[in-house]
Amino acid sequence: MSTTLSYDRLSEEEKHSQFMERIESGEKIEADDWMPKDYRMTLIKLISMHGISEIMGALPEKEWVPKAPSLRRKLGIMAKVQDEMGHGQLLLRVAEDLMKPMGKTREEIMQDLFRGDLKFHNVFHMPAPTWGDAGLIGWLVDGAAIITQTNMLKASYGPYARALKRICAEEVFHAQHGEAIIMALAEGTEEQRALIQDAIDRWWESLLMFFGPASATTTGTSKQDTTIKYRIRTKTNEELRQAFLDKYIPRVLSLGLTIPDETLHYDKEKQQWVYQQPDWNEFKNIVRNNGPKSKDRLDLRITAYENNAWVREALSPDGAVV
Amino acid sequence: MTNNGREFYQEFEVFSSKSNGEQVQHQFSLLAPNEEIALVMAQENFMRRQPVADIWVVKRSNVRKMTQEEKGSLQRLDNKEYRTTKGYGYLKKKWRHYEQNILDEKEILSWGGDDKK
Amino acid sequence: MKSAQEAQADPKYKTAVTELLYQLADDDFIIAFRGSEWLGLAPHIEEDVAFSSINQDTMGHAAIYYQLLEALGEGDADALAHDREAGQRKNAILLEEVNGPGHYLKKPLYDWAFAVVRHYFYAQAKKVRIESLKNSSYQPLADAAVKINMELYYHLLHWKTWFTQLVTAKGEAPERMKNAIDKVCEDMEGVLTLGPKGANMAALGLIEEEKLLTQRWHNEMEKVFEPLPISLPPVQAKRGNGREGVHTEDLNSALATLGEVYKQDPVASW
């Protein structure tokens, strides 16, 4: 602890510099601690988007829950999608506590989502038309998510770091769940192999987009500098994308699958992957809820939320009927 | 009409112990309209993959937390050896002089063990 | 009977135990399927997570029963779950019914009151049955019942909590719950019955008599309803007896969905 003085007597600037000292020395910030408004807003934006993406991310996979092709797969994917909802729960609780001083609750988070003010990850706007997609989401989309989430395990904000610790522990199961589906398909019939190759071809661009643009000049917005400054994350978008390519390209190729980018190669000198840039204008378009499945998934979420409103009203402790 | 169901989202802190005889530990928080629902949500939300022997749920508003300023009251000087065995280490040498062993933590806590010896 | 081998050597016994296992397996399988369609659509996120655990448990119980059938020479457990026509299924009609209007991917106007009542009444019926099965003459089934019983405490606690709270809640909840109770009771007898071969099952000590089990279910229900402002309507089997292979269109559409990928290549490994 670097502070012994009464907090109330400190000026905003003194509080700010003490705050920066604390996070730079590796201290964790807790929900009720003083924090710069910029820090709070950055966290709210990051964590509410992360949380709601988990909730929306359950939807493309949800399609395959009742359809999974064996008892074991049905159980596995139920548990996996349940975890996504569970991760959403953890993250939204963290975001909700940050929003509380502003009088906001989960109700506002949901309404923000429905109005289109709260965005969710680009990958969850995409269709998942086959069982191959169910496998690919578990394998590569979760793989990408693991890379970004482990990058924030030491985040300066304690509640987020603790939620991520729980989440990452479960992601290990998700990674293996995805690999199990993919392995069965890869070692299966021609038709089964085609299911994964089609899914890779369909998802490749979305996977590259997952990490966001390399710099703000690409799309006009990027929070990466702020999040690095505040010790929320350590690596840049491009470093994360490179780490993903490092880990997963050899695995994809080892199964005899191909990546739909003829220009893709490893530059030994620069020690990085060179790849065809995805269409970043399309990325902006997708995250503004203009992706192929954006409307359907939002509709599904809105329908479910409104359809159950009577339950929440009925059990609201102060919800006396007038 | 009612309050739109917004009050449904009451905050509860969840605590649990891993096995019989273990102390409870804080797990996380959840939203539920009342403590009965909070209790049936708790295990599956936070302890799906670990053993649980007991669960407590506590309404967040019943937890008196410290402010950042109050946390300052938790600091103290490192001059309280007299409260710990560290302040009495010299006894070891003294007892040796009388051909006796010091009754240290290891020795004293071993007295509660089974009497087979 | 200690083992599948012994049971197979006695055709009359084997027929009865097989019939009972199909009922148990198909009931759990289809209601877990209906529950899995709810994933992501529950009244709040915390409940989505809790409900999913119950569905996983229940599907896990179905898998145990299908494996017992596999051991009796009925075929591969996955084939039994995914590849039997509606007419061969022995589940109660109540459990195959859709969750409400709409589809799990499009405009699901699912009825939480119906979900709570159906799952609660079913969990209580299952509990009564499992208690009896702990003493089944078929040892592998008795062993399974001991294990399955462990998870039923939570299912019952969970559904009973939602049930009693919503029945006595404010607003439109009591009315919705009453409608759901009426709807569930119209087909609840189909859950409680052991079908035309029930007497045989009891005679062979596989499970106690249907009449006795039904009475126990009613006794449990009376305890729950006693302090509540409503009463339990008579239970019926309005749409027929699923134990005799009588089913509705809802089962056909469920089977088409749950077997969609499996049937693309039933011999492939998935």
Side-chain angles (χ1 to χ4, degrees), chain A residues 40-231:
Chain A
R40 183 183 296 278
M41 298 317 284
T42 300
L43 284 173
I44 289 175
K45 189 161 184 201
L46 173 75
I47 302 168
S48 59
M49 182 187 166
H50 186 180
I52 212 69
S53 294
E54 298 277 357
I55 302 294
M56 296 306 286
L59 299 182
E61 283 180 282
K62 171 191 164 65
E63 177 166 0
W64 297 99
V65 168
K67 293 181 180 176
S70 68
L71 288 161
R72 191 181 156 85
R73 293 280 179 252
K74 278 186 162 68
L75 289 165
I77 195 166
M78 264 198 255
K80 198 264 178 172
V81 180
Q82 173 190 43
D83 283 349
E84 305 297 358
M85 295 302 290
H87 297 174
Q89 194 276 344
L90 298 169
L91 294 163
L92 290 186
R93 284 301 306 123
V94 175
E96 284 152 13
D97 283 346
L98 283 160
M99 295 161 92
K100 204 176 174 182
M102 296 140 92
K104 288 181 147 199
T105 68
R106 185 173 299 171
E107 180 67 26
E108 279 72 30
I109 293 185
M110 290 299 165
Q111 298 305 333
D112 283 353
L113 170 73
F114 300 160
R115 268 199 312 275
D117 293 343
L118 175 56
K119 308 280 190 255
F120 56 100
H121 266 300
N122 70 293
V123 281
F124 304 125
H125 296 258
M126 305 311 283
T130 75
W131 175 246
D133 297 81
L136 185 126
I137 292 172
W139 186 32
L140 297 183
V141 175
D142 276 57
I146 292 170
I147 303 256
T148 53
Q149 292 176 130
T150 49
N151 178 45
M152 298 186 290
L153 274 171
K154 292 185 181 141
S156 58
Y157 189 57
Y160 192 36
R162 291 195 291 274
L164 286 169
K165 203 172 152 201
R166 280 177 176 270
I167 290 168
C168 288
E170 291 180 346
E171 293 286 2
V172 180
F173 150 67
H174 294 189
Q176 294 184 2
H177 161 84
E179 283 178 355
I181 296 177
I182 293 296
M183 198 64 84
L185 294 177
E187 293 179 346
T189 64
E190 276 310 303
E191 288 78 11
Q192 287 178 307
R193 287 181 64 83
L195 285 178
I196 339 172
Q197 187 60 58
D198 288 350
I200 293 178
D201 295 350
R202 205 165 20 247
W203 285 86
W204 183 250
E205 201 174 37
S206 300
L207 286 164
L208 291 176
M209 288 176 179
F210 182 91
F211 302 93
S215 75
T217 51
T218 317
T219 57
T221 54
S222 169
K223 279 271 174 194
Q224 57 179 331
D225 297 341
T226 318
T227 49
I228 290 171
K229 176 180 87 180
Y230 283 132
R231 308 264 173 148

Side-chain angles (χ1 to χ4, degrees), chain C residues 91-111:
Chain C
N91 62 273
I93 285 178
L94 176 68
L95 309 181
E96 72 201 31
E97 182 158 358
V98 292
N99 293 309
H103 181 265
Y104 77 100
L105 296 171
K106 195 146 187 75
K107 284 279 163 220
L109 297 174
Y110 286 0
D111 181 0

Side-chain angles (χ1 to χ4, degrees), chain C residues 10 16 32 42 84 114-115 124 156-157 162 214 220 224 227 240 247 249:
Chain C
D10 181 342
R84 282 157 56 237
F114 179 58
Q124 187 58 66
L156 270 172
L157 175 69
W162 277 107
T214 304
E220 291 303 319
V224 177
H247 294 288
E249 188 44 41

Side-chain angles (χ1 to χ4, degrees), chain B residues 74-86:
Chain B
L74 301 173
Q75 302 174 98
R76 61 169 75 100
L77 284 180
D78 182 19
N79 64 349
K80 301 191 172 39
E81 291 88 2
Y82 57 86
R83 276 183 185 167
T84 68
T85 52
K86 207 172 146 196

